[in-house]
Amino acid sequence: MHHDIRRHVNMKLSPKVITGALNAQNKGASDWGWQGLLSYGCQGFIVVVDPKTVQVLQVLAKHKGNVVKVKWAKENYHHDLGNPYSLRLASGDNNGVIIVWDVTSGTVKSEFSEGSKPIQDMEWLTYQDASHDLLVALHPPYSLILWNADTGTKLWKKSYTEPLLAFSFDPFSSKNVAFLGPDCIVFIDDFSVTKTPSSNGKKFYISSPSSSASNLKTEGSTSSVEKRTASRNLAERMSKILVGEGPSKKSSKEESDQVALNDCIQLLHHQSCRHHLILVYPREILILDLEINQTVGIIPMERAGSPFVQIVSLRQRDVLLCLHENGSVSTRIRRKTNAITTPASEGHGAFDDSPPPVSMDVTYDLRCQSDGLRVTRHSRVSSMSCCMVTESSVALVVTDSRVVFWDMILLDGGTEIETSPQLDSKSKFPIVSNSPPPQLSLSDMIGRLPVVNHDHPSVLKGRAVALKFVMTGLLNGVVSPISSLRMCPPLTTKNWSVYQPLLAVGSSTGVIQIINISSGLIVKEFSVHTGPVRGIEWCNLKSFLSYSYPSQGTSGLVKNDLMLVDISTGKVKAVRTNRDQESPIEILRVSCLKQYFIVGFKDKPLELWDLQTMTMLRETGKSLPHPTALEWSPSHSLKSLKKKMLSQGGDKEGGQLTSALAGGDKMGVSTTSLSETAESDSKVNQKMSVKEHFVYTDSEGTLYHFVVEGTGFADASRVPAENDSAISSTHVSGMGTITWIAWKGDFILFGDGEGQLSVWDLKSKTQRTMATRRGWIKKIRFAPGRGNMKFFLLYVDGFDIWDLKEGKAELLSSMKSPRDISKVIDADWTGSDRPVLATADGCVEVFDLTLKSCSCGIEDREFPDEVASPYILPPKASLMMKYHLQNQPWNSEYSRKLEGLREEEKNLQGAINKQIDLLDSEILDYLPHCRFGVAERCLILAKLFGDESDFLFWTVALYYLRAVKWSPKSREEVDLLGPEKEKFIPATPSYKETNDLVMLDSPDEGEEPSQGAWSLVDTPLERYFDMICDNDSFKLYQLDRVALHDSKRVTYDHTKKCAENYIMLRETDRAVQLLLETEPDNDTYYTDCLRACLVASIRSSGVSQSTIKLVATNLIANGKIKEGVQLLCLIDKGLDACRYLQTYGAWDQAVWLAKATLTSSDCCEVMKRWVDHLCGTQVNQKSKALLVMLSLGQFSKVLEMLYGMRQFNRAACFTAALEEFGLLDQSKDNVLLVEAIYLEYARLLANLGLRTPAEFYCQKAGDKGNQFKEEVRILFS
């Protein structure tokens, strides 16, 4: 394979780390952010992987301890030049240090710590728009700290009374946090950014009599719960969970029921349903409803299944991903429950695998499962993370350094999922496009049709879909533990055309990996030996020798294993076969001209081998001492080799370089540098050979010098008696046992077991000895490159880099282990200024010369595959790319290529176009033909950019634009919530849409919808939008929940709560039944009977109305808000009730009541007050307020808010979407607003350097626009 020269000029030997196996403390430290990248902790490093190309993008090194938590910063804010797309990551280690990184440059933004114990948990705060630099961390044993991650300042610290292990924020309400303690759960409901939480929280215990389920009991709960009446016995047993601290805890009966919570392995809030908490145990998963403190669902482990390890709750659909101990991942999807309606008729039951459930419990069905991994002591899954954007890709990080990527794919049943009648071609919108919408996420795949198991018959008919896991990527790390490493011969002028910077890494298991040190990829892996690899020496760029032996027994004899590996073919050939037990090999050295190699033993004469023929030439005599260190001389002359080749062995003197080092008086040696090492082994044909020298020392410190010449036995330099010119001995004075010799140019370095370094200068015949005071010198090696006299010393406890200047050794940099780095096992040079170290924690680290840094920016790394991520573009470029792809009204035809940037920004333009071309082809094909125009295109781009804020905005916008456009009333008033809506939606039987993940959106038999409307009606918004869903689906869900609570009743309080909810939702008959259930010995028996009579007898005559209203207002004024509100609901004064609730700060309750009971106009009024509240400075949730406004269909107000929030790009795109849907209000005020938006957007585009778009928007921006257009012309001229 021919490599061009450019590739080698760009060979990036930048400082980097190639990681290996994980530490036990790295368990759970992985996160897959909205940015689309996976990060995980490995030892003290953080590895960032691009899942699309399965490449390591970055390794961050600064932590001294093991990384225990990593978290990507959230992307739920509007991005612009002030807040660009950037890769921020927070990581915490076992010393209590948190570091916030700029991943692109690989640098630390801030570093802070509290105490020195491992960080228990941490999370970026997402609920308010004021700052996106806030990080909450749990420091042992029980301190919760709010940090400003940008500056590293502590905003507040709260210490609780219980030891806490983890926390979970309620995704629906910023005030609620749940903590997991060793034996209890602590809830707080006063979390705030501005002040320290005051309360210590409510503490709950978990009891579980039949392990089937349980209920929550809080401190001070009375023993009334313990009453076991026969009628309720089953219900009692079925519903136990949080038990309290008060007197009840002391009763002996309670003790027996109590189950330790300590086997609870995870606690998390349900991400797509409000008020639900998930507790994970090895053998079951409990789903708690926090409004009634009871288990509403249990997912038991299958009988033969593998225990649960970790759960991820998905948001866009009600799905749980479960990781099992055997390394498999299962997908569980929420099942329909038939709450309000009767069980399904025969025809529809076919979709469910099981008969419709009678119970109201929350149930999840297993819908697909990946294959398990082979779990051993050294390889088990350390953590699982799921892509936040697609929710269909999962990454498993395995302790043996592997990362496995699984994708969920649809198994289509042959027919197209969405079969919509053809729209009449006259209407321009929605666009009829041939290319189907790309399925970017799990929510695109499921939700239209029921999900069943793949062998279900309805899949083939196209009436249901099935999912399947496929493995899409596998990344391997360095095999551990490392026992040795060796870099291939250096780059020279002769070999650059074929050169690859390969590093051979040997492990204790006998595996040798070949790593390309420029890209950091493991290119090849050979299983060469059975025991640890003790040493590796390269013979040329394509092959190496390695040796191994098992650990020595009492005899001191071992079976040596010497192998020759050819990396181009993978052939492994044994050298020195058929040997018995012998002394272990200690030295393996290949000569500089690659003609010979020497094998030295501990207690046996050394052997000289011919590298070409792989034959042994001879052994040294028995009388000679055995070597402790040995080195070949680099002093050979290539000229003589060439001369010999010309004269084919004519002149013997031509190659004569004999200059024996006798006594030190004949030390003039002509030398050429090591970098000239000939790669021309093949050219040295058998007849001619050049003399080569080597020196070795014995245990006495005596130096021997040999000259080797010739082929075969006859010509090898004989070793006769002393004083012959071929061998001479001299003494290295003042040293202990020499452990290593290095020779380059005119200098020989000797290191000994006591840390002394001796420098011999052959030219000036001098010797200098100095003490390093660091103990045993394990290895000395010169850096490659002509005239480069840098060398390193490897000690037991560290590593130094020195430079020889005029024969004097100077220390350049130094590191000690374990202070600066974990124990260094072996080291080498990858280039003239890049040392590479193998450490005991199984990593290979390339440093710079100062030994300070082993990381670099992403742009300094080499990637074999192009990385597609807008985040690695400069901030300006990623915005240009987004604005260009979102909407191009200035182009007659949608073009994917960005053009027209200034000359000096041509590089930027190239980089942006490269990123656009790297996008998925089906997305690029669909973008020009999005069915719903700009709005849909913006939604797709929000997913591609991993922009959570954009994603939420455009999901809601698109849904309500479609709903308003095709609800017939939208002409008279903007209202999509009225009863007439039903006429234009294929009537879905309510059991199908009640409590299910899957909405049946296909027309049922005999219910043909009106032609045009069909493709425009969307499935209702997913439940995680909560208060932003349309009122009909919201009300259905609330009735469902009350029915579920009703079915779970155990205590009086619980029954009372259900009755009150029924009253507010105007289900009066059931409310009366519940009120009449009160036991006669209850204090409130009389009151409840009266309440029942009142509810039953209410008829709205004027007199009774005014009386009740008066009573209600008095109750509210005296603090009995709940009771007052119920009375107002009874007499249809829901709007007043909501106003009172809002006045008293019960905003969520007011919205709940309004959405579930009021008419659309009244509801709208309540919601608008809520919007004003959300926009207030105290709450600071304008982005949520925007979504609420969208849900009210108040599109002009939305534009106004966007303009006020300076989100001009979003405002301009939304205006374009309104135009396409024909919903743009043409009143005078609004026209002015739109012009103002266009003018500001033009400014923004001009700042970015996009001239044509800027001028286009100037024309649409009225007079001011024309003025600015002139400025643009001047600016760009």
Side-chain angles (χ1 to χ4, degrees):
M1 179 174 154
H2 175 72
H3 297 277
D4 59 36
I5 185 163
R6 271 201 327 266
R7 201 179 156 288
H8 295 293
V9 178
N10 293 343
M11 191 170 73
K12 297 185 173 175
L13 294 175
S14 44
K16 57 173 72 70
V17 179
I18 301 151
T19 53
L22 275 66
N23 189 297
Q25 286 183 311
N26 298 136
K27 187 175 166 57
S30 73
D31 192 29
W32 190 332
W34 273 86
Q35 299 84 343
L37 303 176
L38 170 76
S39 63
Y40 68 91
C42 173
Q43 308 288 347
F45 304 104
I46 298 115
V47 186
V48 178
V49 180
D50 172 34
K52 292 190 214 60
T53 56
V54 196
Q55 298 182 106
V56 174
L57 283 196
Q58 179 67 285
V59 179
L60 304 166
K62 178 92 165 58
H63 281 291
K64 292 272 187 281
N66 293 317
V67 176
V68 293
K69 283 276 175 281
V70 288
K71 284 281 189 287
W72 284 105
K74 300 286 189 256
E75 294 295 322
N76 62 340
Y77 53 89
H78 179 68
H79 295 75
D80 50 29
L81 279 173
N83 300 298
Y85 289 99
S86 65
L87 294 174
R88 280 197 309 164
L89 179 69
S91 58
D93 67 17
N94 64 341
N95 300 333
V97 176
I98 298 176
I99 297 182
V100 179
W101 302 88
D102 173 353
V103 174
T104 317
S105 65
T107 51
V108 172
K109 288 180 85 119
S110 64
E111 183 178 341
F112 41 91
S113 64
E114 169 82 16
S116 58
K117 292 210 171 71
I119 303 290
Q120 292 281 27
D121 208 345
M122 64 180 189
E123 195 65 70
W124 290 87
L125 266 199
T126 60
Y127 301 105
Q128 35 76 42
D129 299 339
S131 161
H132 29 258
D133 296 324
L134 303 180
L135 186 73
V136 180
L138 182 57
H139 298 260
Y142 38 61
S143 304
L144 190 70
I145 298 184
L146 178 65
W147 296 96
N148 178 334
D150 195 37
T151 56
T153 42
K154 193 191 298 185
L155 299 180
W156 54 250
K157 170 176 176 179
K158 165 77 180 167
S159 295
Y160 289 95
T161 50
E162 290 290 314
L164 302 173
L165 308 173
F167 62 76
S168 168
F169 275 93
D170 181 349
F172 296 94
S173 164
S174 53
K175 297 198 286 288
N176 301 342
V177 191
F179 293 96
L180 179 62
D183 60 346
C184 63
I185 300 177
V186 177
F187 291 104
I188 63 164
D189 53 9
D190 57 355
F191 183 90
S192 135
V193 176
T194 43
K195 59 179 198 293
T196 316
S198 51
S199 76
N200 275 328
K202 284 205 198 74
K203 197 156 107 190
F204 288 95
Y205 288 90
I206 290 209
S207 76
S208 150
S210 62
S211 94
S212 63
S214 5
N215 63 16
L216 289 156
K217 291 224 233 81
T218 158
E219 331 179 43
S221 59
T222 57
S223 50
S224 64
V225 188
E226 264 60 66
K227 253 187 260 158
R228 297 191 199 282
T229 54
S231 62
R232 280 282 162 104
N233 204 13
L234 181 71
E236 274 290 357
R237 271 219 327 280
M238 260 304 284
S239 64
K240 278 245 158 176
I241 199 162
L242 292 164
V243 198
E245 255 205 323
S248 60
K249 191 177 166 197
K250 297 185 177 63
S251 71
S252 57
K253 182 155 68 170
E254 197 59 29
E255 284 300 308
S256 62
D257 284 352
Q258 194 131 349
V259 168
L261 190 92
N262 48 18
D263 49 351
C264 175
I265 47 183
Q266 194 189 351
L267 151 146
L268 74 163
H269 276 92
H270 197 303
Q271 296 298 304
S272 66
C273 295
R274 190 165 182 146
H275 303 302
H276 286 62
L277 188 76
I278 303 173
L279 293 180
V280 185
Y281 291 85
R283 318 233 17 122
E284 62 189 1
I285 297 168
L286 301 184
I287 294 159
L288 298 180
D289 188 320
L290 296 180
E291 284 199 305
I292 55 172
N293 285 350
Q294 277 190 7
T295 310
V296 289
I298 297 178
I299 305 175
M301 193 183 79
E302 286 75 31
R303 211 169 260 130
S306 172
F308 297 115
V309 179
Q310 186 191 342
I311 300 296
V312 174
S313 161
L314 301 187
R315 183 166 85 159
Q316 298 168 33
R317 293 274 182 250
D318 192 345
V319 176
L320 299 179
L321 288 178
C322 314
L323 171 65
H324 299 266
E325 222 164 67
N326 64 2
S328 67
V329 180
S330 59
T331 305
R332 289 162 200 269
I333 297 182
R334 173 88 168 256
R335 185 193 301 178
K336 310 187 188 72
T337 50
N338 310 317
I340 312 294
T341 53
T342 51
S345 61
E346 192 43 49
H348 294 303
F351 285 132
D352 254 336
D353 288 353
S354 51
V358 187
S359 95
M360 304 275 316
D361 279 11
V362 178
T363 35
Y364 284 84
D365 294 320
L366 181 64
R367 282 294 175 249
C368 69
Q369 186 153 5
S370 72
D371 300 337
L373 304 170
R374 218 175 86 227
V375 175
T376 63
R377 197 161 51 97
H378 298 296
S379 75
R380 46 188 59 206
V381 178
S382 162
S383 61
M384 159 176 81
S385 14
C386 174
C387 173
M388 309 285 290
V389 184
T390 66
E391 296 195 337
S392 62
S393 306
V394 183
L396 304 181
V397 182
V398 191
T399 51
D400 62 6
S401 84
R402 283 176 301 164
V403 182
V404 186
F405 291 97
W406 292 97
D407 272 12
M408 260 184 282
I409 57 164
L410 267 189
L411 290 176
D412 281 342
T415 55
E416 188 49 46
I417 291 180
E418 203 159 316
T419 45
S420 56
Q422 274 304 299
L423 296 159
D424 61 7
S425 48
K426 288 199 292 288
S427 80
K428 287 275 193 322
F429 195 77
I431 301 156
V432 180
S433 73
N434 301 328
S435 41
Q439 294 185 340
L440 291 180
S441 56
L442 185 66
S443 52
D444 298 335
M445 295 188 226
I446 62 173
R448 308 258 170 243
L449 294 170
V451 187
V452 294
N453 286 347
H454 56 85
D455 47 7
H456 200 274
S458 58
V459 177
L460 293 169
K461 299 194 192 105
R463 310 250 349 224
V465 292
L467 293 169
K468 176 179 191 238
F469 271 115
V470 288
M471 192 188 287
T472 51
L474 177 63
L475 188 66
N476 274 319
V478 180
V479 62
S480 344
I482 303 177
S483 56
S484 59
L485 60 77
R486 190 77 168 98
M487 187 68 191
C488 70
L491 178 71
T492 65
T493 46
K494 306 216 171 31
N495 65 17
W496 63 256
S497 57
V498 293
Y499 189 77
Q500 285 185 304
L502 301 179
L503 178 76
V505 178
S507 79
S508 310
T509 54
V511 172
I512 296 178
Q513 287 180 328
I514 307 296
I515 298 175
N516 181 324
I517 206 74
S518 173
S519 66
L521 284 182
I522 293 159
V523 193
K524 293 198 162 79
E525 187 169 309
F526 302 104
S527 207
V528 185
H529 302 285
T530 50
V533 180
R534 308 277 179 177
I536 303 171
E537 283 291 322
W538 290 79
C539 308
N540 52 35
L541 289 176
K542 290 284 170 225
S543 63
F544 60 81
L545 287 163
S546 65
Y547 67 95
S548 159
Y549 53 84
S551 46
Q552 305 168 24
T554 46
S555 63
L557 301 179
V558 294
K559 184 104 176 62
N560 284 315
D561 205 11
L562 181 63
M563 298 287 193
L564 174 69
V565 181
D566 182 330
I567 61 173
S568 45
T569 62
K571 186 175 175 207
V572 179
K573 181 183 169 195
V575 187
R576 296 184 80 252
T577 49
N578 309 327
R579 302 294 171 109
D580 291 331
Q581 296 272 331
E582 57 184 351
S583 177
I585 299 180
E586 292 215 319
I587 294 173
L588 173 66
R589 296 279 181 280
V590 176
S591 72
C592 293
L593 284 181
K594 316 291 188 208
Q595 302 182 85
Y596 310 106
F597 67 90
I598 286 178
V599 185
F601 302 88
K602 191 172 177 186
D603 286 322
K604 195 180 149 185
L606 58 82
E607 300 174 356
L608 175 69
W609 286 69
D610 183 319
L611 190 58
Q612 260 52 55
T613 60
M614 281 294 158
T615 49
M616 184 164 113
L617 300 179
R618 64 166 308 170
E619 283 186 335
T620 51
K622 293 242 175 10
S623 58
L624 281 169
H626 307 141
T628 58
L630 180 147
E631 178 70 307
W632 285 94
S633 155
S635 3
H636 51 73
S637 163
L638 285 171
K639 288 191 194 107
S640 65
L641 184 63
K642 284 176 189 147
K643 237 187 242 171
K644 272 207 166 174
M645 290 176 78
L646 292 171
S647 60
Q648 283 296 314
D651 177 17
K652 280 201 170 174
E653 285 304 300
Q656 191 74 350
L657 284 174
T658 317
S659 152
L661 298 174
D665 51 355
K666 297 190 235 165
M667 278 195 182
V669 181
S670 66
T671 63
T672 59
S673 145
L674 194 85
S675 62
E676 294 296 309
T677 31
E679 286 297 333
S680 47
D681 350 330
S682 51
K683 294 181 195 142
V684 182
N685 62 38
Q686 294 308 306
K687 286 210 179 65
M688 14 164 238
S689 64
V690 179
K691 285 187 177 177
E692 294 205 56
H693 317 228
F694 68 88
V695 294
Y696 83 68
T697 54
D698 64 9
S699 49
E700 302 292 310
T702 312
L703 180 72
Y704 296 82
H705 175 237
F706 290 78
V707 179
V708 180
E709 181 181 22
T711 64
F713 283 78
D715 269 354
S717 279
R718 292 181 310 284
V719 186
E722 284 82 33
N723 301 335
D724 186 285
S725 65
I727 168 174
S728 60
S729 69
T730 171
H731 199 68
V732 184
S733 57
M735 302 277 281
T737 304
I738 305 291
T739 51
W740 200 275
I741 307 173
W743 186 344
K744 179 170 183 176
D746 293 336
F747 293 96
I748 307 184
L749 303 176
F750 301 92
D752 73 4
E754 282 128 42
Q756 296 189 88
L757 176 69
S758 182
V759 182
W760 281 27
D761 183 339
L762 303 183
K763 231 183 198 148
S764 65
K765 305 179 185 174
T766 54
Q767 172 189 356
R768 278 203 180 92
T769 306
M770 49 172 295
T772 60
R773 296 191 174 80
R774 295 283 295 272
W776 174 28
I777 296 178
K778 286 170 72 176
K779 188 171 282 192
I780 307 174
R781 208 162 254 149
F782 278 105
R786 178 180 298 178
N788 179 5
M789 298 308 282
K790 295 184 185 66
F791 62 93
F792 70 67
L793 301 181
L794 174 63
Y795 311 102
V796 178
D797 68 342
F799 180 86
D800 284 354
I801 297 182
W802 297 68
D803 196 358
L804 269 185
K805 292 196 177 141
E806 293 144 18
K808 275 191 188 141
E810 289 182 11
L811 179 64
L812 294 182
S813 48
S814 155
M815 56 168 41
K816 286 192 171 176
S817 55
R819 188 189 66 193
D820 308 315
I821 187 171
S822 72
K823 185 174 161 53
V824 183
I825 303 294
D826 201 352
D828 205 343
W829 293 92
T830 61
S832 54
D833 59 350
R834 292 273 182 268
V836 56
L837 311 180
T839 54
D841 57 16
C843 300
V844 173
E845 303 174 36
V846 182
F847 277 89
D848 57 3
L849 271 182
T850 62
L851 296 180
K852 290 280 178 283
S853 150
C854 57
S855 60
C856 60
I858 288 184
E859 69 279 2
D860 294 332
R861 297 176 74 104
E862 179 201 328
F863 301 113
D865 298 330
E866 294 285 354
V867 177
S869 165
Y871 285 87
I872 62 176
L873 287 171
K876 195 166 149 181
S878 45
L879 290 174
M880 280 190 204
M881 172 175 163
K882 181 167 112 173
Y883 296 169
H884 169 73
L885 291 174
Q886 275 179 332
N887 190 18
Q888 305 176 356
W890 54 90
N891 286 343
S892 50
E893 190 93 334
Y894 184 90
S895 127
R896 62 169 83 158
K897 209 170 160 194
L898 175 68
E899 283 160 339
L901 263 67
R902 303 188 188 117
E903 271 310 306
E904 61 266 30
E905 291 189 327
K906 285 292 182 234
N907 295 353
L908 212 53
Q909 181 173 307
I912 295 170
N913 283 324
K914 190 156 131 202
Q915 280 295 336
I916 293 175
D917 290 340
L918 288 170
L919 294 176
D920 214 350
S921 55
E922 68 172 316
I923 295 171
L924 285 173
D925 295 341
Y926 184 68
L927 282 177
H929 315 292
C930 289
R931 284 181 315 164
F932 298 108
V934 181
E936 189 176 1
R937 205 174 303 128
C938 288
L939 179 56
I940 291 174
L941 285 167
K943 290 183 184 179
L944 289 180
F945 275 72
D947 187 331
E948 189 181 354
S949 159
D950 261 11
F951 168 75
L952 294 174
F953 178 84
W954 288 110
T955 307
V956 176
L958 187 57
Y959 174 76
Y960 283 106
L961 283 169
R962 286 167 70 171
V964 172
K965 169 76 174 164
W966 288 284
S967 81
K969 293 176 64 180
S970 63
R971 294 296 159 263
E972 302 96 69
E973 57 169 31
V974 183
D975 173 21
L976 44 141
L977 311 161
E980 302 215 25
K981 178 175 171 206
E982 294 305 318
K983 291 182 188 164
F984 284 80
I985 295 188
T988 314
S990 55
Y991 76 87
K992 287 185 188 170
E993 63 183 44
T994 50
N995 207 356
D996 185 5
L997 170 64
V998 267
M999 306 296 178
L1000 278 161
D1001 193 73
S1002 51
D1004 284 321
E1005 302 74 20
E1007 297 178 354
E1008 270 308 307
S1010 56
Q1011 282 287 325
W1014 166 237
S1015 70
L1016 309 166
V1017 174
D1018 201 1
T1019 49
L1021 281 175
E1022 201 44 48
R1023 207 158 288 140
Y1024 72 95
F1025 280 110
D1026 195 42
M1027 310 280 196
I1028 294 153
C1029 296
D1030 62 284
N1031 291 6
D1032 298 343
S1033 32
F1034 184 82
K1035 180 165 185 179
L1036 270 170
Y1037 177 50
Q1038 296 314 324
L1039 285 169
D1040 252 21
R1041 286 206 36 163
V1042 178
L1044 171 64
H1045 292 173
D1046 191 353
S1047 72
K1048 290 271 175 200
R1049 290 177 302 118
V1050 184
T1051 62
Y1052 165 72
D1053 288 336
H1054 189 165
T1055 307
K1056 183 173 152 196
K1057 198 170 194 175
C1058 289
E1060 290 171 352
N1061 281 340
Y1062 276 129
I1063 293 173
M1064 289 196 273
L1065 292 171
R1066 307 194 196 155
E1067 301 282 321
T1068 47
D1069 298 353
R1070 182 69 184 148
V1072 171
Q1073 279 176 338
L1074 294 188
L1075 286 168
L1076 293 175
E1077 274 184 18
T1078 309
E1079 302 281 341
D1081 53 0
N1082 193 320
D1083 301 342
T1084 57
Y1085 173 61
Y1086 179 57
T1087 338
D1088 284 351
C1089 293
L1090 291 181
R1091 274 165 86 184
C1093 298
L1094 175 66
V1095 173
S1097 63
I1098 267 204
R1099 297 284 171 272
S1100 24
S1101 66
V1103 185
S1104 70
Q1105 270 224 357
S1106 49
T1107 312
I1108 292 176
K1109 191 171 178 185
L1110 181 68
V1111 172
T1113 2
N1114 283 337
L1115 282 171
I1116 290 171
N1118 290 304
K1120 290 199 179 304
I1121 299 166
K1122 212 164 52 172
E1123 289 81 352
V1125 166
Q1126 287 163 36
L1127 288 180
L1128 288 172
C1129 290
L1130 281 178
I1131 54 169
D1132 285 346
K1133 289 272 181 277
L1135 182 57
D1136 295 347
C1138 291
R1139 283 184 188 141
Y1140 281 120
L1141 283 169
Q1142 287 181 325
T1143 311
Y1144 285 90
W1147 293 95
D1148 287 357
Q1149 179 76 13
V1151 174
W1152 175 84
L1153 188 58
K1155 282 189 85 78
T1157 62
L1158 299 188
T1159 62
S1160 48
S1161 52
D1162 286 356
C1163 174
C1164 200
E1165 189 184 320
V1166 175
M1167 298 295 269
K1168 279 181 178 163
R1169 274 189 74 176
W1170 187 38
V1171 167
D1172 296 339
H1173 167 71
L1174 288 173
C1175 291
T1177 46
Q1178 282 301 303
V1179 184
N1180 228 322
Q1181 290 191 357
K1182 286 193 178 138
S1183 43
K1184 187 169 181 181
L1186 263 180
L1187 301 183
V1188 176
M1189 278 324 246
L1190 281 172
S1191 74
L1192 299 175
Q1194 306 275 331
F1195 298 141
S1196 308
K1197 188 88 177 77
V1198 169
L1199 279 178
E1200 206 176 300
M1201 285 175 72
L1202 285 170
Y1203 182 74
M1205 291 158 77
R1206 303 191 64 78
Q1207 301 185 4
F1208 305 123
N1209 153 258
R1210 200 180 275 179
C1213 290
F1214 189 56
T1215 311
L1218 286 171
E1219 281 182 295
E1220 286 180 336
F1221 276 89
L1223 296 171
L1224 189 60
D1225 176 12
Q1226 295 296 345
S1227 67
K1228 184 161 183 289
D1229 289 352
N1230 211 44
V1231 171
L1232 288 173
L1233 174 65
V1234 169
E1235 282 184 4
I1237 287 172
Y1238 282 154
L1239 178 65
E1240 288 297 340
Y1241 191 39
R1243 284 215 168 110
L1244 179 57
L1245 293 166
N1247 280 345
L1248 286 174
L1250 297 164
R1251 179 178 179 171
T1252 325
E1255 290 182 337
F1256 171 83
Y1257 280 109
C1258 286
Q1259 287 164 347
K1260 298 184 73 168
D1263 303 337
K1264 284 188 179 163
N1266 291 331
Q1267 289 170 17
F1268 185 61
K1269 191 173 173 187
E1270 275 302 299
E1271 290 174 36
V1272 171
R1273 200 176 53 72
I1274 297 162
L1275 189 69
F1276 281 88
S1277 58

